[in-house]
Amino acid sequence: MQLTTNNSLPMDGTQGALVARIWRPELAGPSVVALRGEDVIDITTSFPTVRDLCEQADPATALEQAHGEHIGSLAELLANTPPDSRNPARPWLLAPVDLQAIKAAGVTFAISMLERVIEEKARGNPAAAVAIRTEITALVGNDLSKLKPGSAQAMALKQVLIDQGVWSQYLEVGIGPDAEIFTKAPPMAAVGTGFDAGLHPASSWNNPEPEVVLAVNSRGVIVGATLGNDVNLRDIEGRSALLLGKAKDNNASAAIGPFLRLFDATFTLDDLRQATLTLNVTGEDGFTLEGFSSMAQISRDPEDLVRQMMGPHHQYPDGAMLFLGTLFAPVKDRDRVGGGFTHKTGDIVRISAPQLGTLVNRMQPTDACAPWTFGCSHLMRNLAQRGLLT
């Protein structure tokens, strides 16, 4: 797994307002950095956390105006990030988020909605999924992209499906009035690009989920975006939706990066609404999988999802990172006909978008990934020792 500026940056390089986090071994802690050309500038004296930067009235302008220490080149940081080749005495990249809650919206695309129904009906058995997929799509089709959740048309379809005995809790959140929004991981638990991403060894049917991740401040304002892999254990969630925590929140199972791009003249929410994500999975066994996720086909607008996540009934004083869900639903057989896709140890997953760059991770069992040991309390103590908290 080799990271370079060519395979990591957005198509327009560092022209946008790009912010990252790095680990500085000599300080035994993280720093917030601005990317300016090839230069990496530590702006932690101005913004001790990414959360603080996102709370500014105009985060992109605040990032541009912040001064700080020159750390080195982005190429050097990228090259030193993968764990197998890392020099622990030199800085490396982290996930570009810190104190924000890490939330996720589920079943926001029609195809992935149908796959969730299939998971539920198959009770986590991939061998049963093919026949169930045929039955479900014969009833409802596979193009529900124009169906507005909560609309009269959606409620009419709901009644038809109830009458046919195929109603599902996944259809409820897919076409009903209320979105599914859950906690993907605790603050500070996400891994960044170049890191190993975790698969619980109890799972034998799982897949990547390439997603846009919104950066939302405490006022509910969307200030930027990045990429994420909402690693999904299909068999565990398929057994019961009440196992969502076990299926979703595991060591290194939330990958976010490579950089957070703040909204400015070069990148807006409307640009994000038309973004297309591409996925590539390459296995040590020679297997490859390609996929995509088009934000233009999302059933719920990003602003609607943010309104459902936070407001007068639920606040996030440190803001939140919100995974927006995925169109991608892998059905390509890997080992045998009808067996579907599942990860193998060592798979390299690349998630890309022209405006956001490329997030790269290697899949490993959760207990083989680096344990999460640096949490919010450690961050506060480290920043205090550095004299950065006032």
Side-chain angles (χ1 to χ4, degrees), residues 3-347:
L3 301 184
T4 67
T5 55
N6 287 337
N7 66 20
S8 299
L9 282 168
M11 290 290 288
D12 59 355
T14 58
Q15 292 183 35
L18 299 180
V19 59
R21 288 173 65 246
I22 65 172
W23 184 265
R24 296 191 59 178
E26 75 278 18
L27 300 176
S31 284
V32 180
V33 299
L35 306 186
R36 295 172 183 160
E38 268 292 305
D39 296 328
V40 177
I41 308 299
D42 187 335
I43 60 168
T44 314
T45 53
S46 298
F47 302 106
T49 65
V50 176
R51 176 266 179 202
D52 292 323
L53 176 61
C54 290
E55 289 298 307
Q56 301 303 301
D58 183 350
T61 298
L63 178 69
E64 181 183 9
Q65 294 176 348
H67 299 286
E69 177 186 358
H70 180 265
I71 299 300
S73 74
L74 177 58
E76 292 169 337
L77 278 169
L78 287 165
N80 198 48
T81 294
D84 289 352
S85 58
R86 182 181 299 158
N87 178 350
R90 305 185 67 178
W92 61 86
L93 280 173
L94 302 171
V97 299
D98 41 47
L99 295 178
Q100 298 96 332
I102 303 176
K103 308 292 287 186
V107 203
T108 55
F109 290 83
I111 291 178
S112 64
M113 174 180 69
L114 295 180
E115 284 300 310
R116 294 298 175 271
V117 177
I118 291 160
E119 286 171 14
E120 181 184 40
K121 301 298 181 185
R123 294 291 188 266
N125 177 12
V130 175
I132 296 170
R133 185 176 295 112
T134 301
E135 176 188 353
I136 295 293
T137 53
L139 261 178
V140 303
N142 56 15
D143 184 12
L144 300 178
S145 58
K146 294 180 174 60
L147 190 67
K148 181 177 175 57
S151 67
Q153 293 88 344
M155 294 303 96
L157 174 59
K158 172 180 178 178
Q159 189 57 52
V160 169
L161 295 171
I162 289 173
D163 294 342
Q164 294 289 331
V166 295
W167 185 248
S168 160
Q169 56 202 336
Y170 293 105
L171 287 166
E172 177 64 49
V173 296
I175 66 175
D178 300 314
E180 178 195 17
I181 297 178
F182 58 92
T183 297
K184 171 63 179 177
M188 301 285 292
V191 296
T193 194
F195 279 68
D196 289 335
L199 289 165
H200 198 294
S203 172
S204 59
W205 187 24
N206 44 67
N207 64 264
E209 292 193 347
E211 304 188 18
V212 166
V213 184
L214 298 180
V216 186
N217 68 20
S218 66
R219 302 181 298 280
V221 178
I222 306 170
V223 299
T226 183
L227 297 171
N229 185 355
D230 181 14
V231 178
N232 182 39
L233 309 183
R234 302 188 71 179
D235 47 358
I236 291 177
E237 185 180 352
R239 281 162 46 202
S240 170
L242 296 180
L243 293 173
L244 184 65
K246 186 176 181 67
K248 290 289 190 179
D249 183 7
N250 298 294
N251 183 42
S253 66
I256 299 177
F259 319 109
L260 172 61
R261 185 165 187 170
L262 300 171
F263 290 151
D264 62 3
T266 70
F267 180 58
T268 68
L269 184 58
D270 283 337
D271 293 326
L272 194 66
R273 288 184 171 107
Q274 300 301 316
T276 297
L277 281 64
T278 58
L279 170 77
N280 173 272
V281 178
T282 305
E284 294 178 346
D285 57 355
F287 177 88
T288 60
L289 178 71
E290 304 285 341
F292 77 99
S293 187
S294 171
M295 286 295 295
Q297 297 185 47
I298 198 167
S299 302
R300 299 182 191 269
D301 186 76
E303 288 187 313
D304 175 55
L305 290 169
V306 170
R307 282 192 295 269
Q308 295 211 36
M309 177 182 70
M310 64 191 300
H313 307 295
H314 202 150
Q315 295 81 41
Y316 293 92
D318 290 318
M321 303 299 298
L322 177 61
F323 283 76
L324 290 181
T326 185
L327 174 68
F328 176 68
V331 296
K332 181 180 178 180
D333 294 332
R334 185 165 195 172
D335 290 322
R336 58 185 175 82
V337 175
F341 169 81
T342 195
H343 272 304
K344 292 187 177 183
T345 296
D347 282 354

